[in-house]
Every structure is written in C-alpha cells, then in structure tokens.
Amino acid sequence: MAPNTTPSSGNASPTASVLDAPLVSPVHPTAARRPADAITVQGENTLYTDEHITSKFYNRGADVVVQDGNRYLIKPAVTPFEFRLSARSLRLGILMLVGIGGNNGTTLVATILANRHNIAWHTKSTIQRPNYIGSLLRASTIRLGLDATGKDIYAPLSDLLPMVHPNDLVLGGWDISGVPLDAAMKRAAVLEWDLQRQVAPYMKEFGTPLPSIYYPDYIAANQEERADNVIPGNDKSFHLEQIRKDIRNFKATNNLDQVIVFWTANTERYSEIIPGVNDTAGAILSSIRNSHEEVAPSTVFAVASILEGVPFINGAPQNTFVPGVIELAEQHKSFIGGDDLKSGQTKLKSVLAEFLVNAGIKPLSIASYNHLGNNDGQNLSSQRQFRSKEISKSSVVDDMVAANHLLYKTKAEVEAEQGEHPDHIVVIKYVPAVGDSKRAIDEYYSEIMGGGRSTINIFNECEDSLLATPLILDLTILAELLTRIQYRQLVNDADVEFKPLYPVLSLLSYMLKAPLVKPGTDVVNSLSRQRNALETFLKACIGLEGSSDLLLETRIW
C-alpha cells in the first residue's frame, strides 16, 4: 500500500466536489487536542526536563510464607525504582495493519480520517459527530486526588503522559485481498452510508494494500477467493525478507523512527509446538528458512517485526507467539503483545465472574453462545480456526477461580491440572444475515447458600468492529508509549543504567482476551486488576502513588 502522507489539518479535501459539501461539527471531547503538560506533578519524586520525565516509585508488596495449619507469615517489602520517559516530539505515530482491508482495518482507517477531517454524517435521527468512544485512553478518566473542598478530581487518562494523538497516526499495511480501501470499506458494511460517502475519497488515496502472506492451511477455505494480493511462492524466508523490506520502506518514506505492526487479519489455526521447530529462537529462524509447515503467516510477521526492532501486537487468538518467538523477542529486546481483542462478551464475562467469586458465590457453569455474520464469523465457521477462538475465550475466568480455594478445590485436592473449575462452554455460529452486529448469549449457573442455585442470563448485541477498533488504537498508542519508558532499580544508591521494559507487554492485558505474559508468571484476566495495574504504572511514571480507594480522610475525624 502506498504510504499515507503527513496528516493534514482542517477539512480541506483533494476532491471537494465529490464530497458534496461534507458536514462539519464541533470536535468531540474524545478527539480534542489538549496541551502536553495538562498534568504536572510538583513533588520530590518527579523531575521534568526538555528531554525526559524522570520519577521515583516505591513498589510496595509482600512476601508470603504458607505455614502448617493454614497460617500465613507476611513480610512487607518495598523496592525503589526510577522511571524515565522520553518526552520527544509526538507529532506523528505510524501504524501498519496486517489485514488493513478487513472489517477492523477499514473501520479504523475511516474513523481516524473522519476525526482528522472532522467529518460529521447523517443518521436516521440526527447528525453524528466523529469520536473515539470506546477507547480506554481517549474516552475514560483517571482520579488524580481531592481538591481543596474534598471533591474527587478526574482527568482524561490520555493526559497523564505525553501520548500520540490517534489523528496523527500514519497508516498503511498489508492484505491478502487487493480491493482498494474505499471499496473494502463498502464491502465490510460496518459504517453508516453517509459517512462512507464522505470519507471514500480519502480512503481512495491509500490505493491497494501491500501484498500479504497467504498459507491456505492456516485460515478457512472460504477465504481463498479473497486471496488475490499475496506475496508469491512458498519460500517463507523470502516472505520474511519481503515483510522486513516493507517495514523499512514505510519508515523511510514517512521519515519516522517508529512503526507498530498490528495483526488484525483472519484468525489462524493453532500451530503445533514441536521441539526443534518452534520451541527456541534458533529453531524458529531455521524453520522459516526451511519453510516448515508449522510456521504461520502471523509468526512470520512477528519475526519480521522483531528483527526490525518494531513492536508487534497480535489482535487475533491464534498462538502466534510460539516459545521460539518469545525467546527471539527477548534476545532482540523487541516488544510483543497479544492475544485477541477483548471487546464485548469476554470483557463482560471477566467482570461478572469476578463479581460472583468475590461475592462468595460459586459459578458451576458458564455457557456462551455467539452468532455473527461478518467475514470473521465466516472464517470462524471452520473448526480449526474456531478452536483458536475457543481457547482464548475459555481461559478468561481461570485466575479468578484459582484465587478462591474456599469455593473451588485446588489441584492438590482433585486430580485435575487446574483444580476444580466451572464447566465453561463457548459456541460460535456464522449467521450472514446479522452482518457485523454480533449476538452473544451467556448463562451463569451458580451455587448459593444451602445448596440453592442462581441463574443469570445475559443477551448482548454489539457492532463488533466498532468495539474492536478503539482497542486497536489503545494497544498501538500504549505500545508506542512503552517504547519510550526505561527503568532502573535503585539498590544501595548504586549507579545503575536505565534499561527498557521486558519485551512481553503484559501491561496491555486490559484490551486482550488471552493476555501474553512473561513465561513462568501467572496470567491475570480480572478486568479490575488489569486496569489498576495499567493506571498504577502510568502514575508511577510521573511519581504518583497508585489509585487509592481507601479515602481515609473521609473516614477519620
């Protein structure tokens, strides 16, 4: 795809006659630009310079020893850290989407263009302003503290640290379909017609997506007719080098030093983990050279990104990050994150399951049924691709169940790998008539006091791509931010050099169904814990303590 040029301002259009006097409305609060220094901390733990924001943070935890007789010995622990954030110019960011011609890709591009040019459009009942509703960063707030009257003060989460504005993202990417983006947007049938009409000339400027990688064994056979824009041949080493070249060319053309590569293409089948094939960094590189059948297209993109030193985010459920890819990312200190966008049913499930377990109620079964009619649903109608989605959706309650041994027996008490666990069933069906409007039906069947039973049924209808698109923005902007943050642990006042964060960006977990975490550490699916972790980290980078709901000043004389 021909690279996008520097974002323009105002509402000027290269084809104004085609746009037929586009509607203009006031900028929505979620798309408004605010000063980079909207939040300034005055304290001994925070230092601002032209180049950096440096902060001291004291990580407070506890070391617990489990003794006989269900006794716990707790030793509080405090570890001092220093964070340093590069505050370099954020005039532009850059995003390359794998699957840019799909529902999510075209919706993302059109949404940014509508916000960038402030294009409003007619619906059945009103004039709709473009916005970024659904974005954690752009549409949610964070509690800063109390004012002089004792009232809570909240600020936009995006104001906490200097972040890229989504309107400034330079966009490009790959797709196995060669349909130009304006026609692909029409094919996706996600956006209102009046918006499509006005944004189409801007979409047309993107031309045809870059050719992508197509291995028929990895996606459903019903996708074959779309695959008319692929890198030729079966040589996976050649494919790897072509993707690396595309990334380098895109960076050079746009004169920028950062790219985020984001997989929003079809769900792939799971890759089999085979010793000597994909279990080590050396093995995965060798398997690509040998064009091994268990190397997925998404894995080739991930490896290409790692070797080019750019972050790669996987927005689909397959196991792109086989052990060899994670090891390769560690070796190159290149950021990776995933898996699978958590937009609707699964996000609600992580909240409701946590509520039930924390309330001392024991879920016995969770049954989830979905039907949708977009291309994602068509691809998932194939069993091997559905299995990838089933795995990512099924693990969402595991950590909450494991946290309560009063309700659920542990591994030591039952002969099961994860101990006692509620029955958890996930079903997805392809129903073309409903298009992008996904239906999700959940039943939570729980045990209550005295052997009683409680059943909660939820019906959730959502426009799938309009929920997923803001998550892509959040993941992209956060990934870019994390590339600019370094840390050092302050030990005995030693002069330790700053270093980057660990390559697996588990801080992105709030937006992901099956969060990728550092090998050997526990996965956290609790939505409240995920949000609190991210909020606490962002505050730490400006020398603030994490969120406190104690409100001690309201509970004492």
Side-chain angles (χ1 to χ4, degrees), residues 111-173:
T111 298
I112 290 175
L113 290 172
N115 278 282
R116 183 183 297 170
H117 298 285
N118 199 22
I119 298 172
W121 63 95
H122 286 282
T123 66
K124 291 180 180 179
S125 58
T126 187
I127 294 177
Q128 176 64 51
R129 281 192 287 172
N131 59 65
Y132 290 115
I133 291 176
S135 163
L136 174 73
L137 299 179
R138 301 298 311 179
S140 75
T141 60
I142 187 170
R143 180 179 177 271
L144 299 178
L146 302 176
D147 67 7
T149 67
K151 299 295 184 182
D152 285 327
I153 298 299
Y154 293 87
L157 185 57
S158 58
D159 286 359
L160 204 58
L161 293 170
M163 300 183 193
V164 173
H165 193 289
N167 287 8
D168 293 336
L169 288 171
V170 178
L171 302 168

Short mmCIF file of all heavy atoms in Angstrom, two decimals, residues 111-173:
data_model
loop_
_atom_site.label_atom_id
_atom_site.label_comp_id
_atom_site.label_asym_id
_atom_site.label_seq_id
_atom_site.Cartn_x
_atom_site.Cartn_y
_atom_site.Cartn_z
N THR A 111 -12.41 5.79 10.59
CA THR A 111 -12.66 6.53 11.83
C THR A 111 -11.62 7.61 12.06
O THR A 111 -11.94 8.74 12.43
CB THR A 111 -12.69 5.56 13.03
OG1 THR A 111 -13.76 4.63 12.86
CG2 THR A 111 -12.89 6.31 14.33
N ILE A 112 -10.35 7.27 11.84
CA ILE A 112 -9.29 8.26 12.00
C ILE A 112 -9.45 9.39 10.99
O ILE A 112 -9.30 10.57 11.32
CB ILE A 112 -7.90 7.59 11.88
CG1 ILE A 112 -7.65 6.71 13.11
CG2 ILE A 112 -6.80 8.63 11.74
CD1 ILE A 112 -6.37 5.90 13.04
N LEU A 113 -9.77 9.04 9.75
CA LEU A 113 -9.96 10.07 8.73
C LEU A 113 -11.14 10.98 9.06
O LEU A 113 -11.08 12.20 8.87
CB LEU A 113 -10.17 9.42 7.37
CG LEU A 113 -8.94 8.74 6.75
CD1 LEU A 113 -9.34 7.96 5.50
CD2 LEU A 113 -7.85 9.75 6.43
N ALA A 114 -12.22 10.39 9.56
CA ALA A 114 -13.39 11.20 9.93
C ALA A 114 -13.04 12.16 11.06
O ALA A 114 -13.45 13.33 11.04
CB ALA A 114 -14.55 10.29 10.33
N ASN A 115 -12.29 11.70 12.03
CA ASN A 115 -11.87 12.57 13.13
C ASN A 115 -10.85 13.60 12.67
O ASN A 115 -10.91 14.77 13.07
CB ASN A 115 -11.30 11.74 14.28
CG ASN A 115 -12.35 11.15 15.19
OD1 ASN A 115 -12.92 11.84 16.03
ND2 ASN A 115 -12.65 9.87 14.99
N ARG A 116 -9.93 13.17 11.81
CA ARG A 116 -8.87 14.08 11.35
C ARG A 116 -9.47 15.25 10.57
O ARG A 116 -9.04 16.39 10.70
CB ARG A 116 -7.88 13.31 10.48
CG ARG A 116 -6.69 14.13 9.99
CD ARG A 116 -5.81 13.30 9.09
NE ARG A 116 -5.23 12.16 9.78
CZ ARG A 116 -4.58 11.16 9.17
NH1 ARG A 116 -4.45 11.18 7.85
NH2 ARG A 116 -4.07 10.16 9.87
N HIS A 117 -10.47 14.96 9.73
CA HIS A 117 -11.07 15.99 8.89
C HIS A 117 -12.40 16.50 9.46
O HIS A 117 -13.11 17.26 8.81
CB HIS A 117 -11.28 15.45 7.48
CG HIS A 117 -10.00 15.06 6.80
ND1 HIS A 117 -9.12 15.97 6.30
CD2 HIS A 117 -9.44 13.84 6.58
CE1 HIS A 117 -8.07 15.35 5.77
NE2 HIS A 117 -8.25 14.05 5.94
N ASN A 118 -12.73 16.02 10.67
CA ASN A 118 -13.94 16.46 11.38
C ASN A 118 -15.18 16.33 10.51
O ASN A 118 -15.97 17.26 10.34
CB ASN A 118 -13.78 17.91 11.86
CG ASN A 118 -14.76 18.25 12.97
OD1 ASN A 118 -15.26 17.36 13.65
ND2 ASN A 118 -15.05 19.52 13.14
N ILE A 119 -15.36 15.13 9.97
CA ILE A 119 -16.48 14.84 9.08
C ILE A 119 -17.65 14.31 9.91
O ILE A 119 -17.55 13.25 10.54
CB ILE A 119 -16.10 13.81 8.01
CG1 ILE A 119 -14.97 14.36 7.13
CG2 ILE A 119 -17.31 13.44 7.18
CD1 ILE A 119 -14.40 13.35 6.17
N ALA A 120 -18.75 15.03 9.92
CA ALA A 120 -19.97 14.55 10.55
C ALA A 120 -20.85 13.89 9.48
O ALA A 120 -20.63 14.08 8.28
CB ALA A 120 -20.71 15.70 11.22
N TRP A 121 -21.87 13.13 9.92
CA TRP A 121 -22.72 12.45 8.94
C TRP A 121 -24.13 12.28 9.48
O TRP A 121 -24.37 12.31 10.68
CB TRP A 121 -22.13 11.10 8.54
CG TRP A 121 -22.01 10.10 9.67
CD1 TRP A 121 -22.90 9.12 10.00
CD2 TRP A 121 -20.92 9.98 10.61
NE1 TRP A 121 -22.45 8.40 11.08
CE2 TRP A 121 -21.23 8.90 11.48
CE3 TRP A 121 -19.72 10.67 10.81
CZ2 TRP A 121 -20.39 8.52 12.52
CZ3 TRP A 121 -18.88 10.29 11.84
CH2 TRP A 121 -19.21 9.22 12.68
N HIS A 122 -25.06 12.13 8.55
CA HIS A 122 -26.46 11.95 8.89
C HIS A 122 -26.74 10.50 9.27
O HIS A 122 -26.27 9.57 8.61
CB HIS A 122 -27.36 12.31 7.70
CG HIS A 122 -27.47 13.78 7.46
ND1 HIS A 122 -28.26 14.61 8.22
CD2 HIS A 122 -26.88 14.58 6.53
CE1 HIS A 122 -28.16 15.85 7.77
NE2 HIS A 122 -27.33 15.86 6.73
N THR A 123 -27.51 10.30 10.32
CA THR A 123 -28.10 9.00 10.64
C THR A 123 -29.61 9.14 10.44
O THR A 123 -30.08 10.16 9.93
CB THR A 123 -27.80 8.59 12.09
OG1 THR A 123 -28.46 9.50 12.99
CG2 THR A 123 -26.30 8.63 12.36
N LYS A 124 -30.36 8.15 10.86
CA LYS A 124 -31.82 8.22 10.70
C LYS A 124 -32.41 9.40 11.48
O LYS A 124 -33.42 9.98 11.06
CB LYS A 124 -32.47 6.92 11.21
CG LYS A 124 -32.19 5.70 10.36
CD LYS A 124 -32.87 4.48 10.96
CE LYS A 124 -32.63 3.23 10.14
NZ LYS A 124 -33.28 2.03 10.72
N SER A 125 -31.79 9.73 12.61
CA SER A 125 -32.45 10.68 13.51
C SER A 125 -31.63 11.91 13.85
O SER A 125 -32.17 12.85 14.43
CB SER A 125 -32.81 9.96 14.83
OG SER A 125 -31.63 9.43 15.42
N THR A 126 -30.34 11.94 13.50
CA THR A 126 -29.52 13.05 13.97
C THR A 126 -28.29 13.21 13.08
O THR A 126 -28.11 12.48 12.11
CB THR A 126 -29.10 12.81 15.43
OG1 THR A 126 -28.44 13.98 15.92
CG2 THR A 126 -28.14 11.63 15.54
N ILE A 127 -27.47 14.19 13.42
CA ILE A 127 -26.15 14.34 12.82
C ILE A 127 -25.12 13.83 13.82
O ILE A 127 -25.08 14.30 14.96
CB ILE A 127 -25.88 15.81 12.44
CG1 ILE A 127 -26.84 16.25 11.33
CG2 ILE A 127 -24.43 15.99 12.00
CD1 ILE A 127 -26.68 17.70 10.93
N GLN A 128 -24.31 12.87 13.39
CA GLN A 128 -23.36 12.21 14.27
C GLN A 128 -21.97 12.83 14.14
O GLN A 128 -21.47 13.01 13.05
CB GLN A 128 -23.28 10.71 13.94
CG GLN A 128 -22.25 9.94 14.74
CD GLN A 128 -22.57 9.92 16.22
OE1 GLN A 128 -23.68 9.58 16.61
NE2 GLN A 128 -21.59 10.30 17.03
N ARG A 129 -21.37 13.15 15.28
CA ARG A 129 -20.00 13.65 15.29
C ARG A 129 -19.02 12.49 15.32
O ARG A 129 -19.27 11.48 16.00
CB ARG A 129 -19.75 14.52 16.52
CG ARG A 129 -20.29 15.92 16.44
CD ARG A 129 -19.74 16.77 17.57
NE ARG A 129 -20.32 16.44 18.86
CZ ARG A 129 -19.88 16.95 20.02
NH1 ARG A 129 -18.85 17.76 20.04
NH2 ARG A 129 -20.47 16.62 21.15
N PRO A 130 -17.87 12.59 14.65
CA PRO A 130 -16.85 11.55 14.81
C PRO A 130 -16.28 11.61 16.22
O PRO A 130 -16.24 12.67 16.85
CB PRO A 130 -15.79 11.95 13.77
CG PRO A 130 -15.95 13.42 13.61
CD PRO A 130 -17.43 13.69 13.78
N ASN A 131 -15.86 10.48 16.72
CA ASN A 131 -15.34 10.43 18.10
C ASN A 131 -14.49 9.19 18.29
O ASN A 131 -14.36 8.36 17.38
CB ASN A 131 -16.50 10.45 19.10
CG ASN A 131 -17.44 9.28 18.90
OD1 ASN A 131 -17.08 8.12 19.07
ND2 ASN A 131 -18.69 9.57 18.50
N TYR A 132 -13.93 9.06 19.49
CA TYR A 132 -13.16 7.87 19.85
C TYR A 132 -13.78 7.19 21.08
O TYR A 132 -13.07 6.68 21.95
CB TYR A 132 -11.70 8.24 20.11
CG TYR A 132 -10.94 8.63 18.85
CD1 TYR A 132 -10.45 9.92 18.67
CD2 TYR A 132 -10.76 7.70 17.83
CE1 TYR A 132 -9.77 10.26 17.51
CE2 TYR A 132 -10.09 8.04 16.67
CZ TYR A 132 -9.60 9.32 16.51
OH TYR A 132 -8.93 9.66 15.35
N ILE A 133 -15.10 7.20 21.14
CA ILE A 133 -15.79 6.50 22.23
C ILE A 133 -15.45 5.00 22.17
O ILE A 133 -15.44 4.41 21.10
CB ILE A 133 -17.31 6.72 22.14
CG1 ILE A 133 -17.64 8.19 22.46
CG2 ILE A 133 -18.06 5.79 23.08
CD1 ILE A 133 -19.12 8.53 22.30
N GLY A 134 -15.19 4.42 23.32
CA GLY A 134 -14.77 3.02 23.38
C GLY A 134 -13.28 2.87 23.60
O GLY A 134 -12.81 1.78 23.92
N SER A 135 -12.54 3.97 23.46
CA SER A 135 -11.10 3.94 23.72
C SER A 135 -10.85 4.20 25.20
O SER A 135 -11.30 5.21 25.75
CB SER A 135 -10.39 5.01 22.87
OG SER A 135 -9.09 5.27 23.38
N LEU A 136 -10.12 3.31 25.84
CA LEU A 136 -9.75 3.49 27.25
C LEU A 136 -8.97 4.78 27.42
O LEU A 136 -9.19 5.55 28.35
CB LEU A 136 -8.92 2.31 27.72
CG LEU A 136 -8.34 2.41 29.14
CD1 LEU A 136 -9.44 2.24 30.18
CD2 LEU A 136 -7.26 1.35 29.35
N LEU A 137 -8.03 5.05 26.50
CA LEU A 137 -7.16 6.22 26.63
C LEU A 137 -7.89 7.52 26.33
O LEU A 137 -7.71 8.52 27.01
CB LEU A 137 -5.96 6.08 25.69
CG LEU A 137 -5.04 4.89 25.93
CD1 LEU A 137 -3.91 4.88 24.91
CD2 LEU A 137 -4.48 4.90 27.34
N ARG A 138 -8.72 7.53 25.28
CA ARG A 138 -9.33 8.77 24.82
C ARG A 138 -10.68 9.07 25.46
O ARG A 138 -11.13 10.22 25.43
CB ARG A 138 -9.52 8.73 23.30
CG ARG A 138 -8.26 8.54 22.48
CD ARG A 138 -7.25 9.64 22.65
NE ARG A 138 -7.82 10.98 22.50
CZ ARG A 138 -7.12 12.09 22.63
NH1 ARG A 138 -5.83 12.03 22.95
NH2 ARG A 138 -7.69 13.27 22.46
N ALA A 139 -11.34 8.05 26.01
CA ALA A 139 -12.71 8.25 26.47
C ALA A 139 -12.94 7.87 27.93
O ALA A 139 -14.08 7.77 28.37
CB ALA A 139 -13.68 7.47 25.58
N SER A 140 -11.87 7.64 28.69
CA SER A 140 -12.04 7.36 30.12
C SER A 140 -11.16 8.32 30.91
O SER A 140 -10.25 8.96 30.37
CB SER A 140 -11.68 5.91 30.46
OG SER A 140 -10.29 5.72 30.46
N THR A 141 -11.46 8.43 32.20
CA THR A 141 -10.74 9.37 33.06
C THR A 141 -10.03 8.63 34.18
O THR A 141 -10.28 7.45 34.43
CB THR A 141 -11.70 10.41 33.66
OG1 THR A 141 -12.70 9.73 34.44
CG2 THR A 141 -12.37 11.23 32.56
N ILE A 142 -9.18 9.37 34.87
CA ILE A 142 -8.40 8.82 35.97
C ILE A 142 -8.50 9.76 37.16
O ILE A 142 -8.50 10.98 37.00
CB ILE A 142 -6.93 8.61 35.55
CG1 ILE A 142 -6.14 7.88 36.63
CG2 ILE A 142 -6.26 9.93 35.19
CD1 ILE A 142 -4.76 7.46 36.16
N ARG A 143 -8.64 9.19 38.34
CA ARG A 143 -8.76 10.01 39.56
C ARG A 143 -7.37 10.49 39.97
O ARG A 143 -6.45 9.69 40.16
CB ARG A 143 -9.39 9.20 40.68
CG ARG A 143 -9.55 9.97 41.99
CD ARG A 143 -10.22 9.13 43.06
NE ARG A 143 -10.31 9.84 44.33
CZ ARG A 143 -9.37 9.81 45.27
NH1 ARG A 143 -8.26 9.09 45.08
NH2 ARG A 143 -9.52 10.50 46.39
N LEU A 144 -7.22 11.81 40.10
CA LEU A 144 -5.93 12.39 40.48
C LEU A 144 -5.82 12.62 41.98
O LEU A 144 -4.72 12.59 42.53
CB LEU A 144 -5.74 13.72 39.74
CG LEU A 144 -5.72 13.67 38.22
CD1 LEU A 144 -5.56 15.08 37.64
CD2 LEU A 144 -4.60 12.76 37.72
N GLY A 145 -6.93 12.89 42.64
CA GLY A 145 -6.90 13.19 44.07
C GLY A 145 -8.08 14.07 44.43
O GLY A 145 -9.10 14.09 43.73
N LEU A 146 -7.93 14.84 45.53
CA LEU A 146 -9.01 15.70 46.02
C LEU A 146 -8.62 17.16 45.87
O LEU A 146 -7.44 17.52 45.97
CB LEU A 146 -9.28 15.40 47.50
CG LEU A 146 -9.67 13.96 47.87
CD1 LEU A 146 -9.80 13.83 49.38
CD2 LEU A 146 -10.97 13.56 47.18
N ASP A 147 -9.63 17.99 45.62
CA ASP A 147 -9.36 19.43 45.60
C ASP A 147 -9.51 19.99 47.01
O ASP A 147 -9.69 19.24 47.98
CB ASP A 147 -10.26 20.14 44.59
CG ASP A 147 -11.74 20.12 44.99
OD1 ASP A 147 -12.06 19.68 46.12
OD2 ASP A 147 -12.57 20.55 44.18
N ALA A 148 -9.45 21.31 47.13
CA ALA A 148 -9.46 21.94 48.44
C ALA A 148 -10.77 21.73 49.19
O ALA A 148 -10.83 21.83 50.42
CB ALA A 148 -9.19 23.44 48.29
N THR A 149 -11.85 21.42 48.47
CA THR A 149 -13.15 21.20 49.11
C THR A 149 -13.41 19.73 49.41
O THR A 149 -14.49 19.38 49.89
CB THR A 149 -14.28 21.74 48.22
OG1 THR A 149 -14.36 20.95 47.03
CG2 THR A 149 -14.03 23.19 47.85
N GLY A 150 -12.44 18.87 49.08
CA GLY A 150 -12.62 17.44 49.34
C GLY A 150 -13.31 16.68 48.23
O GLY A 150 -13.70 15.53 48.42
N LYS A 151 -13.46 17.31 47.05
CA LYS A 151 -14.11 16.66 45.92
C LYS A 151 -13.08 15.92 45.06
O LYS A 151 -11.96 16.40 44.85
CB LYS A 151 -14.85 17.68 45.06
CG LYS A 151 -15.96 18.44 45.77
CD LYS A 151 -17.10 17.50 46.16
CE LYS A 151 -18.26 18.29 46.78
NZ LYS A 151 -19.36 17.37 47.21
N ASP A 152 -13.48 14.75 44.54
CA ASP A 152 -12.61 14.00 43.64
C ASP A 152 -12.37 14.78 42.36
O ASP A 152 -13.30 15.39 41.80
CB ASP A 152 -13.24 12.65 43.29
CG ASP A 152 -13.15 11.64 44.42
OD1 ASP A 152 -12.16 11.69 45.17
OD2 ASP A 152 -14.07 10.82 44.54
N ILE A 153 -11.14 14.76 41.86
CA ILE A 153 -10.78 15.40 40.60
C ILE A 153 -10.37 14.32 39.61
O ILE A 153 -9.48 13.50 39.91
CB ILE A 153 -9.64 16.41 40.77
CG1 ILE A 153 -10.07 17.53 41.73
CG2 ILE A 153 -9.21 16.98 39.42
CD1 ILE A 153 -11.26 18.33 41.25
N TYR A 154 -11.01 14.31 38.45
CA TYR A 154 -10.73 13.34 37.40
C TYR A 154 -10.19 14.05 36.16
O TYR A 154 -10.63 15.16 35.84
CB TYR A 154 -11.98 12.55 37.03
CG TYR A 154 -12.48 11.64 38.12
CD1 TYR A 154 -13.35 12.12 39.11
CD2 TYR A 154 -12.08 10.31 38.18
CE1 TYR A 154 -13.80 11.29 40.12
CE2 TYR A 154 -12.54 9.47 39.19
CZ TYR A 154 -13.40 9.97 40.16
OH TYR A 154 -13.84 9.15 41.16
N ALA A 155 -9.27 13.42 35.47
CA ALA A 155 -8.71 13.97 34.23
C ALA A 155 -8.71 12.87 33.17
O ALA A 155 -8.71 11.67 33.50
CB ALA A 155 -7.29 14.47 34.47
N PRO A 156 -8.70 13.24 31.88
CA PRO A 156 -8.61 12.22 30.83
C PRO A 156 -7.36 11.36 31.00
O PRO A 156 -6.28 11.88 31.29
CB PRO A 156 -8.53 13.05 29.54
CG PRO A 156 -9.17 14.34 29.89
CD PRO A 156 -8.83 14.60 31.33
N LEU A 157 -7.52 10.06 30.85
CA LEU A 157 -6.39 9.16 31.03
C LEU A 157 -5.26 9.49 30.06
O LEU A 157 -4.07 9.37 30.40
CB LEU A 157 -6.86 7.71 30.83
CG LEU A 157 -5.84 6.60 31.09
CD1 LEU A 157 -5.28 6.68 32.51
CD2 LEU A 157 -6.47 5.24 30.86
N SER A 158 -5.59 9.94 28.86
CA SER A 158 -4.56 10.25 27.86
C SER A 158 -3.72 11.45 28.23
O SER A 158 -2.66 11.68 27.63
CB SER A 158 -5.22 10.49 26.50
OG SER A 158 -6.16 11.55 26.58
N ASP A 159 -4.16 12.25 29.22
CA ASP A 159 -3.40 13.42 29.63
C ASP A 159 -2.30 13.08 30.63
O ASP A 159 -1.45 13.93 30.92
CB ASP A 159 -4.33 14.46 30.28
CG ASP A 159 -5.19 15.18 29.26
OD1 ASP A 159 -5.06 14.88 28.06
OD2 ASP A 159 -6.00 16.03 29.67
N LEU A 160 -2.32 11.87 31.15
CA LEU A 160 -1.39 11.53 32.23
C LEU A 160 0.07 11.60 31.77
O LEU A 160 0.95 12.09 32.50
CB LEU A 160 -1.72 10.14 32.78
CG LEU A 160 -1.27 9.84 34.21
CD1 LEU A 160 -1.88 10.84 35.19
CD2 LEU A 160 -1.68 8.43 34.61
N LEU A 161 0.32 11.11 30.55
CA LEU A 161 1.67 11.12 29.98
C LEU A 161 1.57 11.58 28.53
O LEU A 161 0.52 11.45 27.90
CB LEU A 161 2.30 9.73 30.04
CG LEU A 161 2.63 9.17 31.42
CD1 LEU A 161 3.01 7.71 31.32
CD2 LEU A 161 3.74 9.96 32.07
N PRO A 162 2.66 12.10 27.95
CA PRO A 162 2.62 12.50 26.54
C PRO A 162 2.42 11.28 25.63
O PRO A 162 3.27 10.40 25.56
CB PRO A 162 4.00 13.13 26.31
CG PRO A 162 4.53 13.44 27.67
CD PRO A 162 3.96 12.41 28.58
N MET A 163 1.27 11.24 24.97
CA MET A 163 0.93 10.11 24.10
C MET A 163 0.62 10.60 22.70
O MET A 163 0.20 11.75 22.50
CB MET A 163 -0.30 9.36 24.64
CG MET A 163 -0.14 8.79 26.02
SD MET A 163 -1.62 7.84 26.51
CE MET A 163 -1.31 7.64 28.28
N VAL A 164 0.77 9.73 21.72
CA VAL A 164 0.41 10.04 20.34
C VAL A 164 -1.09 10.27 20.24
O VAL A 164 -1.88 9.52 20.83
CB VAL A 164 0.82 8.89 19.40
CG1 VAL A 164 0.30 9.12 17.99
CG2 VAL A 164 2.33 8.73 19.38
N HIS A 165 -1.50 11.30 19.52
CA HIS A 165 -2.92 11.50 19.25
C HIS A 165 -3.30 10.61 18.07
O HIS A 165 -2.58 10.56 17.07
CB HIS A 165 -3.19 12.97 18.90
CG HIS A 165 -4.63 13.34 18.90
ND1 HIS A 165 -5.51 12.90 17.92
CD2 HIS A 165 -5.38 14.09 19.75
CE1 HIS A 165 -6.71 13.36 18.17
NE2 HIS A 165 -6.67 14.10 19.28
N PRO A 166 -4.44 9.91 18.16
CA PRO A 166 -4.80 8.98 17.07
C PRO A 166 -4.95 9.67 15.72
O PRO A 166 -4.71 9.04 14.68
CB PRO A 166 -6.12 8.36 17.54
CG PRO A 166 -6.60 9.21 18.67
CD PRO A 166 -5.39 9.83 19.28
N ASN A 167 -5.33 10.94 15.70
CA ASN A 167 -5.45 11.65 14.43
C ASN A 167 -4.11 11.75 13.70
O ASN A 167 -4.07 11.98 12.49
CB ASN A 167 -5.99 13.06 14.64
CG ASN A 167 -7.47 13.08 14.96
OD1 ASN A 167 -8.08 12.04 15.18
ND2 ASN A 167 -8.05 14.26 15.01
N ASP A 168 -3.01 11.61 14.44
CA ASP A 168 -1.68 11.78 13.85
C ASP A 168 -1.06 10.48 13.35
O ASP A 168 0.06 10.49 12.85
CB ASP A 168 -0.73 12.42 14.88
CG ASP A 168 -1.12 13.85 15.21
OD1 ASP A 168 -1.79 14.47 14.36
OD2 ASP A 168 -0.76 14.33 16.29
N LEU A 169 -1.76 9.37 13.52
CA LEU A 169 -1.21 8.09 13.07
C LEU A 169 -1.10 8.07 11.55
O LEU A 169 -2.07 8.36 10.84
CB LEU A 169 -2.09 6.93 13.54
CG LEU A 169 -2.03 6.63 15.05
CD1 LEU A 169 -3.11 5.61 15.41
CD2 LEU A 169 -0.66 6.11 15.45
N VAL A 170 0.07 7.71 11.05
CA VAL A 170 0.26 7.50 9.62
C VAL A 170 -0.02 6.02 9.37
O VAL A 170 0.58 5.15 9.99
CB VAL A 170 1.68 7.87 9.18
CG1 VAL A 170 1.88 7.60 7.70
CG2 VAL A 170 1.96 9.33 9.50
N LEU A 171 -0.92 5.73 8.46
CA LEU A 171 -1.47 4.38 8.33
C LEU A 171 -1.04 3.71 7.04
O LEU A 171 -0.90 4.34 5.99
CB LEU A 171 -3.00 4.44 8.38
CG LEU A 171 -3.60 5.07 9.64
CD1 LEU A 171 -5.07 5.35 9.43
CD2 LEU A 171 -3.37 4.18 10.84
N GLY A 172 -0.87 2.41 7.11
CA GLY A 172 -0.59 1.58 5.95
C GLY A 172 -0.71 0.13 6.34
O GLY A 172 -1.06 -0.19 7.48
N GLY A 173 -0.44 -0.77 5.41
CA GLY A 173 -0.49 -2.17 5.79
C GLY A 173 -0.67 -3.13 4.64
O GLY A 173 -0.60 -2.76 3.46
#
